Amino acid sequence: MTALEDRPEISPFLLGEFAPVTDELDVADLRVTGQIPAALNGVYMRNGANPQFAPLGRYHWFDGDGMVHAVYLDGGRARYRNRWVTTPGLAHERAVGHSLFGGILNFTFPPEELMAECGIFKNAANTNIVAHAGRYLALWEGGFPTEITRDLDTRGLSDFGGKLAGAMTAHPKWCPETGELIFFGYDPVAGPPFLRHHVADRSGVLTHSTEIELPRGVMMHDFLTTRNYSIFFDLPAVVAATMEGESMWQPKFGARIGVLPRHGTNADVRWFEIDPCFVFHFLNAWEQGDQIVAYGCRMPSIDLDFEAGEDGIAGMAAMDGVGLTRWTIDLAAGTVREELVHDLRSDFPRLHDGLLGLPHRYGYASATLDGPMTIGFNGIVRYDLQTGSDLTYAFGDGTSIGEAVFAADPDGSAENDGWLMVYATDKATLETDFCILDARDMAAGPVARVHLPRRVPAGFHGNWMPAT
Ligand SMILES: [Fe+2]
């Protein structure tokens, strides 16, 4: 086996709080500072990149094998468990003891037979982990979802019983009113259709799929839903350009927002021109009379080469100018208005999932509260969309946090009745705490710090999944 530690120069994303871990643990009765709210009964799962083998060339954070880190809460006690998502590609690599696939920054063709089975890129199943209709799906936007169990064992790829054509986004949306799972898939290089839209009913059956015409294949990481619509941002992040050695950012192609009735087809899409920008993550959208109001973390441009800057991990220099932005789409007038509502540098926006697609007041995001924007946030911000104000909690410069997920209080009724859950890693000691903050008193800091048996690497997305 080629040890990653032998080649630490490969990428800053293999070092410090980002470095992969090599073991799979299951540890119960974790030490807690403070008190875990008794109402929290369920599991918080978070996915992220954790390469098992040294990369074949320059490593990108998005390349690594998916690993799910879970904290199970029950009666005020906590258990931690982590497992790799054993994708078909990773299984082949384990069989030979080394990497077989290239990545975003080191494109290589895998061996022919492997490519026939798995495709050009390894489906890393590393970006998000969601629960729907009793299934747990580890998601990667370039391929099928990978189903795992609540205990994190891998079941295998899922194509919704043969009904799913193409990839599935890592950012599906739930409809709190119908229980539907609404998602899209994009394929930027194989040719049209570049985009498909799907709806699965509350029992997990894929009931609706439609192809959406785009002029070219663009990277589309996230989207928005409302009670009646799905909303796509067709932004000039042109994947094919990178394969010709050009920048992905091609603003000459312009940008637009597409509004599709949830069960409509390509002919029903209405497109609205906007200024070029890029958005990794949206907060939420809802309908308001003839208007749709949408919020997202807007960036002026996109560059996936996060290490290209002079000061190491400086890709987030591209996030200078990032800010929570509101787009007001007027379906009657055929216009869209764009406004920067907060200039704090933040991303990974979340809300009370029971209000997805519906009007709401509070949005939560991870933020860089001082210093330059780097990958790795150090605070949480609560945006008040009603008053325009914000409230922050700073973990401090020495701490790196990930996405903060809102977990509703089952005994609560107000929008902010609940808790925020986040992994926080001390960058000096490289120890990770699972932190729980009361959303009603966020500025007070964690009400419980669950001390994990070892570091959880900085990662991507996760969700709180209450016991049923
Ligand atoms: Fe994401």
Side-chain angles (χ1 to χ4, degrees):
M1 187 183 297
T2 311
L4 284 167
E5 305 84 66
D6 293 344
R7 303 176 65 190
E9 78 287 0
I10 292 172
S11 166
F13 293 108
L14 298 174
L15 302 171
E17 70 268 29
F18 293 95
V21 294
T22 57
D23 48 6
E24 297 182 320
L25 304 180
D26 189 349
V27 182
D29 288 323
L30 299 170
R31 190 167 58 87
V32 180
T33 300
Q35 196 156 15
I36 298 170
L40 286 173
N41 183 15
V43 54
Y44 166 73
M45 294 190 197
R46 198 222 64 194
N47 206 344
N50 196 91
Q52 182 162 13
F53 300 105
L56 297 177
R58 200 165 151 230
Y59 176 73
H60 190 285
W61 195 23
F62 294 172
D63 293 338
D65 301 298
M67 179 179 271
V68 177
H69 300 263
V71 176
Y72 301 81
L73 303 179
D74 183 11
R77 292 182 306 164
R79 178 169 75 99
Y80 167 80
R81 187 179 176 94
N82 73 299
R83 290 290 183 273
W84 264 291
V85 184
T86 308
T87 59
L90 179 58
H92 280 286
E93 292 180 331
R94 283 177 178 166
V96 297
H98 59 78
S99 290
L100 292 167
F101 294 85
I104 291 174
L105 300 176
N106 68 96
F107 178 75
T108 53
F109 286 101
E112 208 164 297
E113 275 182 27
L114 187 62
M115 192 163 64
E117 181 191 334
C118 299
I120 295 172
F121 289 100
K122 178 169 57 179
N123 179 343
N126 64 7
T127 315
N128 200 353
I129 172 73
V130 303
H132 183 253
R135 299 202 299 155
Y136 301 87
L137 302 176
L139 301 172
W140 177 76
E141 68 192 45
F144 286 147
T146 305
E147 187 172 349
I148 66 170
T149 68
R150 197 171 176 90
D151 291 327
L152 313 187
D153 295 323
T154 300
R155 283 199 162 137
L157 292 173
S158 168
D159 61 1
F160 286 81
K163 291 183 170 178
L164 178 61
M168 175 176 178
T169 176
H171 287 288
K173 309 296 178 205
W174 303 258
C175 176
E177 297 178 305
T178 66
E180 290 169 309
L181 187 72
I182 308 152
F183 58 98
F184 67 94
Y186 76 99
D187 186 336
V189 291
F194 292 117
L195 182 62
R196 293 182 175 94
H197 177 251
H198 308 279
V199 182
D201 69 15
R202 64 184 314 130
S203 65
V205 175
L206 194 62
T207 54
H208 176 81
S209 291
T210 192
E211 297 179 356
I212 307 295
E213 286 177 17
L214 295 182
R216 63 194 60 81
V218 293
M219 187 169 97
M220 194 178 286
H221 184 68
D222 194 3
F223 79 136
L224 294 146
T225 53
T226 66
R227 185 172 271 154
N228 293 294
Y229 299 102
S230 287
I231 299 140
F232 306 102
F233 277 53
D234 177 13
L235 306 175
V238 183
V239 177
T242 63
M243 297 190 161
E244 290 157 16
E246 294 177 38
S247 166
M248 172 185 262
W249 180 239
Q250 298 284 337
K252 66 186 178 194
F253 290 123
R256 56 188 191 151
I257 300 172
V259 179
L260 166 73
R262 182 178 298 177
H263 299 98
T265 67
N266 181 63
D268 303 313
V269 183
R270 291 186 62 191
W271 291 102
F272 300 82
E273 304 284 326
I274 57 170
D275 289 335
C277 65
F278 191 76
V279 181
F280 267 116
H281 299 115
F282 296 101
L283 171 59
N284 197 24
W286 64 84
E287 296 163 30
Q288 207 166 268
D290 288 331
Q291 297 181 333
I292 293 172
V293 181
Y295 286 87
C297 296
R298 181 189 188 277
M299 300 161 65
S301 64
I302 173 69
D303 179 359
L304 277 188
D305 190 351
F306 292 164
E307 300 166 46
E310 291 173 4
D311 50 348
I313 306 174
M316 289 294 107
M319 288 183 75
D320 277 346
V322 71
L324 187 69
T325 297
R326 176 173 55 231
W327 292 269
T328 306
I329 305 159
D330 192 317
L331 298 172
T335 59
V336 55
R337 185 172 77 246
E338 178 183 297
E339 301 154 277
L340 179 68
V341 291
H342 284 281
D343 61 4
L344 189 62
R345 290 166 296 182
S346 67
D347 207 311
F348 288 165
R350 296 297 297 250
L351 72 155
H352 186 313
D353 281 343
L355 295 168
L356 266 168
L358 300 172
H360 72 116
R361 178 173 179 178
Y362 298 117
Y364 306 90
S366 301
T368 304
L369 294 180
D370 48 49
M373 189 73 170
T374 57
I375 295 178
F377 301 101
N378 58 20
I380 301 176
V381 55
R382 185 190 78 183
Y383 291 118
D384 185 332
L385 306 179
Q386 215 168 72
T387 65
S389 64
D390 63 75
L391 180 71
T392 58
Y393 175 74
F395 282 83
D397 266 354
T399 300
S400 173
I401 69 156
E403 178 188 55
V405 168
F406 183 87
D409 182 346
D411 302 319
S413 55
E415 182 180 337
N416 65 344
D417 279 341
W419 294 272
L420 294 161
M421 300 176 164
V422 65
Y423 288 134
T425 297
D426 184 309
K427 290 196 274 190
T429 64
L430 293 180
E431 290 172 346
T432 301
D433 288 341
F434 172 66
C435 294
I436 302 171
L437 295 85
D438 192 323
R440 292 155 284 212
D441 190 15
M442 195 188 89
V447 295
R449 278 181 174 268
V450 178
H451 305 293
L452 299 180
R454 58 117 173 75
R455 180 177 54 84
V456 170
F460 305 125
H461 304 287
N463 287 286
W464 167 246
M465 304 162 187
T468 50

